[in-house]
Amino acid sequence: MEKTKMDIGEAADLFKIMGDRSRLSMVAMMNRRECCVCDFTECFGMSQPAVSQHLKKLRGMGLIKERREGYWTYLSLNEESPFYDMIPELIAAIPGIEDHISSMTASCSRGDCC
């Protein structure tokens, strides 16, 4: 399946969605690996409904896809998104984001919840 190209309006919408620190961090985490919703609630110290609101916006832009396994929902970047190739470059251009994500994920352990 061929990806569609984005226009300037879609690019502006992407930057608006990615302008939130939590959503940007979530996307950076998913750029590293598939994540469970519980990863976000634990690492961000957010309630599940708050995380769900952020994920709804990312899903609405087509940035992420989800996979269900039993009670758990796993999220990853959507390779079919017209933004997919842009995400790693966008993340790499942010000074200190890798250290930020590493320190955040070091404080939460994936094995505790799913």
Side-chain angles (χ1 to χ4, degrees):
M1 181 177 210
E2 186 177 326
K3 292 185 220 177
T4 59
K5 301 237 186 235
M6 73 175 114
D7 64 27
I8 195 164
E10 291 169 320
D13 290 342
L14 172 67
F15 288 119
K16 187 184 307 182
I17 292 293
M18 297 295 283
D20 179 86
R21 182 184 183 120
S22 295
R23 288 191 292 272
L24 181 59
S25 297
M26 289 174 181
V27 169
M29 286 175 66
M30 287 184 278
N31 189 51
R32 287 185 172 186
R33 65 174 170 83
E34 181 179 63
C35 296
C36 178
V37 171
C38 66
D39 289 325
F40 298 132
T41 59
E42 187 176 346
C43 293
F44 290 87
M46 286 182 180
S47 67
Q48 187 276 326
V51 168
S52 291
Q53 286 302 308
H54 286 295
L55 295 174
K56 180 180 178 181
K57 290 180 181 186
L58 294 171
R59 203 176 299 111
M61 284 290 298
L63 289 172
I64 60 173
K65 62 182 179 178
E66 59 183 50
R67 172 181 69 83
R68 291 200 177 272
E69 191 173 302
Y71 292 109
W72 307 112
T73 301
Y74 295 94
L75 303 135
S76 59
L77 296 179
N78 180 8
E79 300 91 0
E80 301 300 319
S81 168
F83 309 111
Y84 181 74
D85 294 334
M86 186 184 209
I87 297 298
E89 292 178 40
L90 177 65
I91 292 167
I94 302 168
I97 194 158
E98 289 301 323
D99 293 337
H100 168 71
I101 297 302
S102 293
S103 67
M104 188 183 334
T105 56
S107 67
C108 58
S109 171
R110 185 176 190 164
D112 290 345
C113 60
C114 48

